[in-house]
Short mmCIF file of all heavy atoms in Angstrom, two decimals:
data_model
loop_
_atom_site.label_atom_id
_atom_site.label_comp_id
_atom_site.label_asym_id
_atom_site.label_seq_id
_atom_site.Cartn_x
_atom_site.Cartn_y
_atom_site.Cartn_z
N ALA A 75 -4.75 1.57 -7.24
CA ALA A 75 -4.85 1.01 -5.89
C ALA A 75 -6.10 1.48 -5.22
O ALA A 75 -6.82 0.67 -4.53
CB ALA A 75 -3.55 1.28 -5.10
N PHE A 76 -6.39 2.66 -5.24
CA PHE A 76 -7.49 3.35 -4.54
C PHE A 76 -8.84 2.80 -5.23
O PHE A 76 -9.78 2.56 -4.52
CB PHE A 76 -7.48 4.83 -4.40
CG PHE A 76 -6.39 5.35 -3.56
CD1 PHE A 76 -5.66 6.49 -3.88
CD2 PHE A 76 -6.00 4.64 -2.41
CE1 PHE A 76 -4.72 6.97 -2.95
CE2 PHE A 76 -4.85 5.12 -1.61
CZ PHE A 76 -4.30 6.26 -1.85
N ALA A 77 -8.86 2.65 -6.50
CA ALA A 77 -10.01 2.12 -7.22
C ALA A 77 -10.38 0.76 -6.75
O ALA A 77 -11.54 0.39 -6.55
CB ALA A 77 -9.70 2.17 -8.65
N VAL A 78 -9.37 -0.11 -6.49
CA VAL A 78 -9.55 -1.50 -6.01
C VAL A 78 -10.20 -1.41 -4.62
O VAL A 78 -11.31 -2.10 -4.36
CB VAL A 78 -8.36 -2.37 -6.04
CG1 VAL A 78 -8.56 -3.75 -5.18
CG2 VAL A 78 -7.84 -2.58 -7.41
N ALA A 79 -9.75 -0.58 -3.79
CA ALA A 79 -10.15 -0.30 -2.42
C ALA A 79 -11.65 0.18 -2.51
O ALA A 79 -12.56 -0.35 -1.74
CB ALA A 79 -9.33 0.51 -1.60
N ASP A 80 -11.87 1.27 -3.25
CA ASP A 80 -13.27 1.83 -3.41
C ASP A 80 -14.23 0.83 -3.85
O ASP A 80 -15.45 0.87 -3.31
CB ASP A 80 -13.11 3.03 -4.43
CG ASP A 80 -12.42 4.19 -3.77
OD1 ASP A 80 -12.14 4.16 -2.56
OD2 ASP A 80 -12.01 5.08 -4.62
N GLN A 81 -13.87 -0.02 -4.79
CA GLN A 81 -14.83 -1.09 -5.33
C GLN A 81 -15.37 -1.87 -4.22
O GLN A 81 -16.52 -2.13 -4.11
CB GLN A 81 -14.10 -1.93 -6.30
CG GLN A 81 -14.78 -1.90 -7.60
CD GLN A 81 -13.98 -2.83 -8.61
OE1 GLN A 81 -12.98 -3.44 -8.23
NE2 GLN A 81 -14.46 -2.82 -9.81
N VAL A 82 -14.49 -2.42 -3.24
CA VAL A 82 -14.92 -3.24 -2.16
C VAL A 82 -15.53 -2.55 -1.02
O VAL A 82 -16.39 -3.09 -0.24
CB VAL A 82 -13.77 -4.17 -1.66
CG1 VAL A 82 -13.25 -5.04 -2.80
CG2 VAL A 82 -12.74 -3.38 -0.99
N LEU A 83 -15.18 -1.26 -0.88
CA LEU A 83 -15.81 -0.47 0.15
C LEU A 83 -17.19 0.10 -0.21
O LEU A 83 -17.97 0.55 0.70
CB LEU A 83 -14.81 0.79 0.54
CG LEU A 83 -13.54 0.20 1.24
CD1 LEU A 83 -12.62 1.43 1.30
CD2 LEU A 83 -13.92 -0.36 2.63
N ALA A 84 -17.49 0.23 -1.45
CA ALA A 84 -18.75 0.79 -1.88
C ALA A 84 -19.04 2.07 -1.35
O ALA A 84 -18.25 3.02 -1.39
CB ALA A 84 -19.85 -0.17 -1.72
N ASP A 85 -20.19 2.23 -0.67
CA ASP A 85 -20.69 3.56 -0.11
C ASP A 85 -19.70 4.04 1.00
O ASP A 85 -19.61 5.21 1.26
CB ASP A 85 -22.01 3.37 0.55
CG ASP A 85 -23.07 3.17 -0.55
OD1 ASP A 85 -22.75 3.43 -1.77
OD2 ASP A 85 -24.17 2.63 -0.31
N ALA A 86 -19.11 3.14 1.73
CA ALA A 86 -18.16 3.55 2.81
C ALA A 86 -16.86 4.24 2.26
O ALA A 86 -16.20 4.85 3.05
CB ALA A 86 -17.73 2.26 3.59
N ALA A 87 -16.64 4.11 1.00
CA ALA A 87 -15.41 4.63 0.48
C ALA A 87 -15.40 6.16 0.52
O ALA A 87 -14.40 6.86 0.67
CB ALA A 87 -15.28 4.30 -1.02
N ALA A 88 -16.60 6.84 0.55
CA ALA A 88 -16.70 8.32 0.57
C ALA A 88 -16.17 8.88 1.86
O ALA A 88 -15.65 9.96 1.91
CB ALA A 88 -18.18 8.74 0.43
N GLY A 89 -16.18 8.02 3.02
CA GLY A 89 -15.71 8.66 4.28
C GLY A 89 -14.23 8.26 4.61
O GLY A 89 -13.82 8.54 5.70
N THR A 90 -13.48 7.82 3.66
CA THR A 90 -12.21 7.41 3.89
C THR A 90 -11.12 8.51 3.66
O THR A 90 -11.41 9.43 2.77
CB THR A 90 -11.76 6.12 3.14
OG1 THR A 90 -11.81 6.47 1.72
CG2 THR A 90 -12.72 4.99 3.41
#
Side-chain angles (χ1 to χ4, degrees):
F76 292 147
V78 168
D80 288 345
Q81 238 178 2
V82 299
L83 292 170
D85 294 340
T90 61

